[in-house]
Structures are given as C-alpha cells and as structure tokens.
C-alpha cells in the first residue's frame, strides 16, 4: 500500500489545482490562492513521502509534473489573465477583441502557463537538479503571481494598488516570470543533508529573513522573498566559484 501514498498526495495536489481554477475563473482569488497553497503543501509532501518510504518512481515524477502544470502553471496564468483583463480597457491603440470574442491583452498572461509547462518538462529530463534548481520552481512562481491578488485584497494601499494594476507592470512581470522559470540560473534548494549551520548557512539565513519579512510585510513579503531567493542564489553561486 505504501507505494500508493505519494501518488495519492500528488492527486490531491491536482485536485486542489482544479478547484483553484474554478475559483480563479469566477474571480474568487483569495479562495483560489488558498487551494494553490494547499496544493503546494501536498506537492512538497508527496516527494518527501516517496523518499522516506523509498517508493520513488518514474510514474510519480511524471504525475507530479502534470499536477504542477495545473496548480502552479494554469492557475497563475489565469490570475494574470484576470489582472490584465482589469486594465485591458486602457489598452486602446489596437482592439481586435471583437474578432476573437475575448480581449487580446489578457491572453498574454497565459504565457506564464506555457513557460511553467516548459520548465516542468525540462526538469523531468534533467539529471543535474538534485541539490539545486535551474530556474525558479513553478510553486514559487505561482506564489509570486497569486500574492498580487492577496496584496490587493488585504493590504489596500493606494500606491501599491496603482503599481499592481498598471498594465506595464503586469506585462513586465509576465515577461520576467516566463524568463526566470525557463532560465538556467542555479537556485538553491531547501534540502538539508545535515543540519549544521556551516553547510547550510544560506538556507538558514534565508529562512530567518523570510520569517521576519512575513511578520513585517504580511502578504507583501511574498514578492520580496522571491526576489531575495533569486538574489541570494546568485550571490551564493558567485561566492562558491
């Protein structure tokens, strides 16, 4: 029976992603974010369970990526679609939406879904990514995109809202998201071979800073944490050479 436990957790991740899609389509972004967070929780523990139970398999690897395409790929793409839809009325130069039946600018947000699928496919055939990642993992990117809606909902700052609901900011973030997902930048993984500070200094410092930022900035900490993660990884790469 133990060989089915990790796959069951992966399927729960996929179920959470499917539910999140429904809520995202209906503009219930907070509930969608909750189910994405829950899906990411299951995504973490399916791999953990597979390693502890020693039942890792090719099937589990493929199933995990298929689930992530929905939870951490389709949902953030839809959320960006919806955010761009809000500002689409300001995009007045060329309007071909009547020919297609849907506005064109928001479709650009779905590039995040395409980049996520490409990144997951690369991960599946890459044998090097054991102790680090190449490019931003899809769950981290999903948190980055979904954090925008949580900031809008709960932190209600006029200046920050104006930045988030600026079409150029959203377009730039979409481009950045697609680039960092598919880049070859090495980012450290939060995997501990042992718990000594010397061997895991970067990880411990990162975790401490994350806790402090979440306490101070609440949901606004999420984008800062993602940028911090990328910056610390780049610095770690430079100092280790």
């Amino acid at each position: 029976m133990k060989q089915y436990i990790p796959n069951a957790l992966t399927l729960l991740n996929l179920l959470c992603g499917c539910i999140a899609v429904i809520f995202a389509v209906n503009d219930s972004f907070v509930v969608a974010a909750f189910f994405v967070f829950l899906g990411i929780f299951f995504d973490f523990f399916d791999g953990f369970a597979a390693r502890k139970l020693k039942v890792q398999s090719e099937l589990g690897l493929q199933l995990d990526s298929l689930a992530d395409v929905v939870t951490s790929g389709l949902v953030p793409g839809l959320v960006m679609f919806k955010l761009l839809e809000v500002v689409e009325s300001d995009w007045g130069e060329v309007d071909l939406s009547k020919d297609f039946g849907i506005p064109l600018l928001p479709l650009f947000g779905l590039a995040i879904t395409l980049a996520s699928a490409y990144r997951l496919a690369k991960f599946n055939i890459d044998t090097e990514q054991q102790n680090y990642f190449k490019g931003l993992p899809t769950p981290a990117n999903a948190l980055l995109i979904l954090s925008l809606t949580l900031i809008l909902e709960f932190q209600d700052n006029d200046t920050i809202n104006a930045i988030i609901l600026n079409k150029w900011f959203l377009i730039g973030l979409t481009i950045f998201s697609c680039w960092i997902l598919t880049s070859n930048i090495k980012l450290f993984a939060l995997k501990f071979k042992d718990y000594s500070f010397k061997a895991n200094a970067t990880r411990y410092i990162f975790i401490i800073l994350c806790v402090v930022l979440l306490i101070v900035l609440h949901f606004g900490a999420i984008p800062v944490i993602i940028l911090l993660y990328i910056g610390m990884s780049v610095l770690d790469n430079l100092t280790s050479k």
Side-chain angles (χ1 to χ4, degrees), residues 18-82:
C18 293
I19 296 172
V21 167
I22 295 170
F23 281 104
V25 168
N26 288 286
D27 298 331
S28 298
F29 300 121
V30 175
V31 182
F34 169 78
F35 278 101
V36 168
F37 293 157
L38 189 59
I40 291 172
F41 172 83
F42 288 127
D43 183 42
F44 174 81
F45 279 101
D46 63 1
F48 179 80
R51 290 189 296 272
K52 288 297 181 181
L53 296 173
K54 298 180 180 178
V55 289
Q56 294 162 289
S57 67
E58 186 64 26
L59 173 63
L61 176 66
Q62 300 300 327
L63 187 62
D64 184 74
S65 288
L66 289 171
D68 282 349
V69 166
V70 178
T71 305
S72 299
L74 180 57
V75 178
L78 284 173
V79 168
M80 184 58 76
F81 175 95
K82 288 290 187 174

Side-chain angles (χ1 to χ4, degrees), residues 53-162:
L53 296 173
K54 298 180 180 178
V55 289
Q56 294 162 289
S57 67
E58 186 64 26
L59 173 63
L61 176 66
Q62 300 300 327
L63 187 62
D64 184 74
S65 288
L66 289 171
D68 282 349
V69 166
V70 178
T71 305
S72 299
L74 180 57
V75 178
L78 284 173
V79 168
M80 184 58 76
F81 175 95
K82 288 290 187 174
L83 289 172
L84 285 167
E85 196 172 41
V86 171
V87 302
E88 191 272 340
S89 59
D90 295 330
W91 187 266
E93 290 84 355
V94 180
D95 182 13
L96 300 178
S97 60
K98 294 180 180 179
D99 297 330
F100 291 90
I102 54 175
L104 291 184
L105 175 62
L107 288 176
F108 184 64
L110 296 179
I112 292 172
T113 301
L114 304 185
S116 298
Y118 184 80
R119 189 246 183 279
L120 289 163
K122 278 179 61 181
F123 179 82
N124 279 6
I125 61 173
D126 193 331
T127 58
E128 296 180 7
Q129 297 185 62
Q130 300 299 320
N131 300 313
Y132 64 88
F133 298 109
K134 285 182 182 177
L136 188 66
T138 53
N141 186 69
L143 292 176
L144 172 63
I145 303 303
L146 289 165
S147 70
L148 302 181
T149 60
L150 297 175
I151 293 168
L152 289 170
E153 180 70 25
F154 294 109
Q155 299 193 222
D156 197 25
N157 180 289
D158 290 340
T159 302
I160 295 174
N161 292 355

Side-chain angles (χ1 to χ4, degrees), residues 116-218:
S116 298
Y118 184 80
R119 189 246 183 279
L120 289 163
K122 278 179 61 181
F123 179 82
N124 279 6
I125 61 173
D126 193 331
T127 58
E128 296 180 7
Q129 297 185 62
Q130 300 299 320
N131 300 313
Y132 64 88
F133 298 109
K134 285 182 182 177
L136 188 66
T138 53
N141 186 69
L143 292 176
L144 172 63
I145 303 303
L146 289 165
S147 70
L148 302 181
T149 60
L150 297 175
I151 293 168
L152 289 170
E153 180 70 25
F154 294 109
Q155 299 193 222
D156 197 25
N157 180 289
D158 290 340
T159 302
I160 295 174
N161 292 355
I163 293 172
I164 292 175
L165 294 177
N166 180 286
K167 65 185 177 185
W168 297 114
F169 171 78
L170 294 174
I171 291 170
L173 180 59
T174 299
I175 294 171
F176 172 78
S177 174
C178 292
W179 171 74
I180 198 65
L181 279 167
T182 57
S183 73
N184 288 319
I185 297 175
K186 292 183 179 180
L187 304 175
F188 64 85
L190 289 174
K191 296 178 181 178
F192 294 81
K193 291 183 178 180
D194 61 64
Y195 294 98
S196 66
F197 183 82
K198 184 177 181 180
N200 300 285
T202 300
R203 294 175 180 84
Y204 281 125
I205 293 170
F206 176 70
I207 291 171
I208 292 169
L209 289 173
C210 286
V211 172
V212 172
L213 287 168
L214 286 168
I215 292 171
V216 175
L217 300 177
H218 307 294

